[in-house]
Amino acid sequence: MIAIAVLTASPVFAQNNDAIRYSNTITPASLRTKLSVIASAEMEGRETATPGQKKAAAYIENYFRSLGLLPGTSTGYQMHYPVYVDTLMDASLIVNGKKFTLGHDYSFDITGMPTGNWIINTVIYAGTGVVSETRDDYKGLNVKNQWVLIDEGTSTETTSLRRLTVLRRKVEQARLKGAKGVILITKDFPKKSFPLKGSMYLKKTVNSVPTLSISYGIASAIFNQQVDSTADLSNIHPSVLNTKAHLSVYKRAIMLESSNVIGIMPGTDKKDEYVMLTGHYDHIGKRGNDIYYGADDDGSGTTSVIQMAEAFAQAKAEGHGPRRTIVFMTVSGEEEGLLGSQFYSENPVFPLNKTSVNLNTDMVGRIDPGRKEGDSTNYIYVIGEDKLSSDLMKITDSVNNQYIKLELDRRFNANDPNRFYYRSDHYNFAKKGVPILFYFNGTHADYHRTTDTVDKINFDLMAKRVKLVFNTAWVMANRNEMLKRDIPLR
Ligand SMILES: [Zn+2]
């Protein structure tokens, strides 16, 4: 039946009669049942490398097995991968005989800071460290293999993220000029707290330049004169300063383990080509007794992947299995920086050049409260169709116009200040040239809060959205050609 349908002149239409029938098994009730487990208190917020994440992985694995999907790796359904967290064991800083206190007087990023011992005899003061077309604070200074001292200056940035971006750029400039260490004078001290654990990461970074933030108090010790503000510092000319500083940092990396859960439905005549359906099952865990349930983020996407697997499994059982192999993958590590999908994209089970597309669902159960009067609430944001393949939009439009009739909102494709395109797992596929589509409902007041719970999910709307993804996957898994890769990634 499949082969005949494919050989007819209008395969999209012929196949979609079946697609529609199986997509009707995606009901609000079936989604609610699964999501109620995934976003339950028992899963403890599913933080990567915690017992809650492992419970969620076990649930998904069992579900995939019960559907008759094959395990995605040679050792089972779970693709295990290591993650690292650095713990600071000890740090000290003495400047010109005075001992300073971590957190009170100075700080650093634990993950980025290497373990080491540094005797610092000279520091090059480079003013505010600005390098632009019209200005170079390094003019006349040679900072190669030297420690550079930079004043943050008067920050006009409105958000802490922007401020951080500016600071990072300054550090990067110093590094590019060959600095062996960077010291930033900021007004952040004393800090209320200084966590001793760093953020989670996948691979050790090499060549990281030690970067330290210091108070005006330490700056005064280095300059050998009292400075209390950036105004005081602006009177000091860039120069080479003799100092006697000793910095030592000792940290330990702890290796933890996480997993992506992968179930496979082998295709028929095109089984060596792949369609990947993804959603991240990890969330941000709990703080004390407060659980971050992550019902929308991304319990909804995880549920979508499982529900689509169930619909495809029923189709296959009745002789309507897909021509291409479908890979159902729920990943972890997303909230820590897209780690699980990065690990997969660097260690793919199936060749990425034979992976026709990645359809990623991350937050598909809610309505964006920012939608304006007159905006439809019968919508989904589709992101990424303007990149990599001109087939993406054509197929989505045809599936949606014929059957689903959601408003496909493409506002986040171009010039998006939120940079949503870069903020979920599909991006690791896009980076490697795999066409992607990202389905997203937008953020809301419960985003990354304990109130992102199952009772706030709009299951009727979610079912419609999952049907759109399912029908799109159906077409992409059964059409004659893989998606063409005819647009460069911008
Ligand atoms: Zn999130």
Side-chain angles (χ1 to χ4, degrees):
M1 171 107 177
I2 283 289
I4 293 164
V6 162
L7 292 172
T8 56
S10 55
V12 170
F13 182 76
Q15 287 161 36
N16 267 301
N17 287 331
D18 288 332
I20 284 296
R21 188 147 51 89
Y22 294 110
S23 78
N24 285 335
T25 66
I26 299 166
T27 62
S30 60
L31 293 169
R32 182 189 292 273
T33 305
K34 293 175 182 70
L35 185 55
S36 299
V37 178
I38 291 161
S40 66
E42 202 197 329
M43 301 294 180
E44 301 172 277
R46 311 184 302 280
E47 185 178 5
T48 297
T50 66
Q53 172 251 310
K54 291 176 204 317
K55 275 184 221 170
Y59 170 78
I60 300 162
E61 172 176 341
N62 286 334
Y63 215 101
F64 281 173
R65 187 182 289 113
S66 76
L67 295 174
L69 300 186
L70 300 180
T73 80
S74 56
T75 54
Y77 290 89
Q78 294 193 45
M79 172 190 238
H80 296 281
Y81 64 92
V83 289
Y84 301 89
V85 177
D86 290 355
T87 303
L88 186 67
M89 310 305 287
D90 194 28
S92 81
L93 176 64
I94 299 166
V95 180
N96 293 334
K98 191 166 179 213
K99 193 168 171 29
F100 291 94
T101 308
L102 181 67
H104 189 272
D105 307 302
Y106 70 100
S107 70
F108 46 81
D109 170 48
I110 292 185
T111 309
M113 189 76 174
T115 279
N117 246 308
W118 297 272
I119 309 284
I120 305 166
N121 293 320
T122 45
V123 169
I124 316 274
Y125 178 53
T128 52
V130 172
V131 179
S132 69
E133 277 175 18
T134 52
R135 180 173 160 183
D136 184 0
D137 286 6
Y138 289 85
K139 207 171 155 195
L141 297 173
N142 181 5
V143 300
K144 196 145 183 67
N145 275 321
Q146 299 286 341
W147 281 79
V148 173
L149 180 65
I150 296 170
D151 171 28
E152 185 188 351
T154 315
S155 177
T156 52
E157 298 304 335
T158 46
T159 67
S160 55
L161 184 69
R162 286 192 181 173
R163 188 183 153 207
L164 202 66
T165 308
V166 172
L167 284 176
R168 280 204 184 119
R169 200 178 303 138
K170 289 186 179 187
V171 171
E172 181 59 15
Q173 291 286 7
R175 199 187 65 80
L176 288 172
K177 290 187 180 285
K180 74 168 169 190
V182 182
I183 304 170
L184 287 164
I185 307 166
T186 78
K187 53 182 185 315
D188 294 343
F189 297 97
K191 283 186 182 291
K192 282 198 195 78
S193 67
F194 184 77
L196 297 179
K197 266 195 167 71
S199 49
M200 207 172 273
Y201 61 95
L202 208 50
K203 274 184 292 196
K204 309 207 159 147
T205 45
V206 276
N207 299 330
S208 62
V209 170
T211 302
L212 200 62
S213 295
I214 62 166
S215 64
Y216 290 118
I218 299 182
S220 300
I222 295 174
F223 285 115
N224 225 343
Q225 62 172 285
Q226 192 67 24
V227 286
D228 290 316
S229 68
T230 193
D232 295 346
L233 287 163
S234 64
N235 295 323
I236 302 175
H237 288 292
S239 54
V240 179
L241 304 164
N242 292 319
T243 183
K244 258 178 92 120
H246 180 199
L247 168 68
S248 85
V249 173
Y250 172 46
K251 62 177 198 174
R252 219 159 38 200
I254 298 167
M255 191 181 88
L256 302 166
E257 183 268 313
S258 191
S259 74
N260 300 324
V261 189
I262 313 176
I264 310 299
M265 177 173 292
T268 53
D269 63 317
K270 290 185 179 290
K271 66 176 186 329
D272 294 331
E273 294 174 1
Y274 307 89
V275 166
M276 290 204 74
L277 304 181
T278 57
H280 72 90
Y281 72 94
D282 69 300
H283 192 51
I284 56 176
K286 50 183 189 176
R287 311 278 179 274
N289 290 326
D290 297 334
I291 298 173
Y292 291 73
Y293 296 92
D296 191 29
D297 182 12
D298 181 30
S300 64
T302 304
T303 300
S304 304
V305 172
I306 300 172
Q307 194 66 54
M308 290 190 283
E310 190 164 330
F312 272 112
Q314 191 176 334
K316 190 175 174 72
E318 294 171 9
H320 303 290
R323 297 177 71 196
R324 288 186 180 79
T325 295
I326 303 187
V327 182
F328 301 91
M329 177 163 80
T330 59
V331 302
S332 62
E334 198 271 355
E335 304 286 11
E336 315 295 330
L338 317 185
L339 302 184
S341 53
Q342 184 189 337
F343 184 84
Y344 180 90
S345 72
E346 290 172 358
N347 306 273
V349 180
F350 307 103
L352 294 174
N353 62 353
K354 291 287 174 190
T355 301
S356 182
V357 70
N358 168 227
L359 304 181
N360 185 39
T361 41
D362 188 357
M363 299 173 64
V364 290
R366 296 283 296 268
I367 292 170
D368 177 356
R371 292 180 69 76
K372 309 224 166 26
E373 184 97 22
D375 283 353
S376 169
T377 51
N378 183 46
Y379 78 102
I380 182 76
Y381 297 127
V382 279
I383 302 176
E385 292 169 301
D386 57 335
K387 299 173 182 71
L388 295 166
S389 176
S390 61
D391 287 332
L392 290 165
M393 201 177 284
K394 268 186 252 169
I395 295 171
T396 306
D397 277 338
S398 113
V399 166
N400 188 61
N401 293 344
Q402 288 180 70
Y403 307 109
I404 312 293
K405 305 201 191 302
L406 277 166
E407 184 200 325
L408 302 177
D409 193 324
R410 291 168 165 133
R411 69 177 69 181
F412 295 123
N413 269 345
N415 306 323
D416 169 23
N418 307 289
R419 293 176 60 80
F420 286 135
Y421 181 75
Y422 305 93
R423 285 174 52 185
S424 187
D425 298 296
H426 56 271
Y427 182 59
N428 280 317
F429 289 90
K431 263 199 320 210
K432 302 267 181 179
V434 178
I436 68 93
L437 250 172
F438 171 27
Y439 302 89
F440 178 55
N441 51 227
T443 57
H444 42 72
D446 301 311
Y447 174 73
H448 281 210
R449 300 180 104 150
T450 54
T451 47
D452 178 5
T453 47
V454 176
D455 57 292
K456 307 237 176 77
I457 298 291
N458 184 328
F459 285 101
D460 290 329
L461 181 54
M462 180 175 164
K464 251 184 146 169
R465 291 165 171 168
V466 182
K467 283 181 187 185
L468 171 71
V469 186
F470 176 85
N471 278 281
T472 305
W474 184 285
V475 171
M476 291 177 175
N478 287 304
R479 71 204 291 271
N480 284 335
E481 303 298 328
M482 281 183 44
L483 298 199
K484 55 174 170 292
R485 302 182 178 190
D486 56 346
I487 307 175
L489 180 64
R490 292 186 301 271

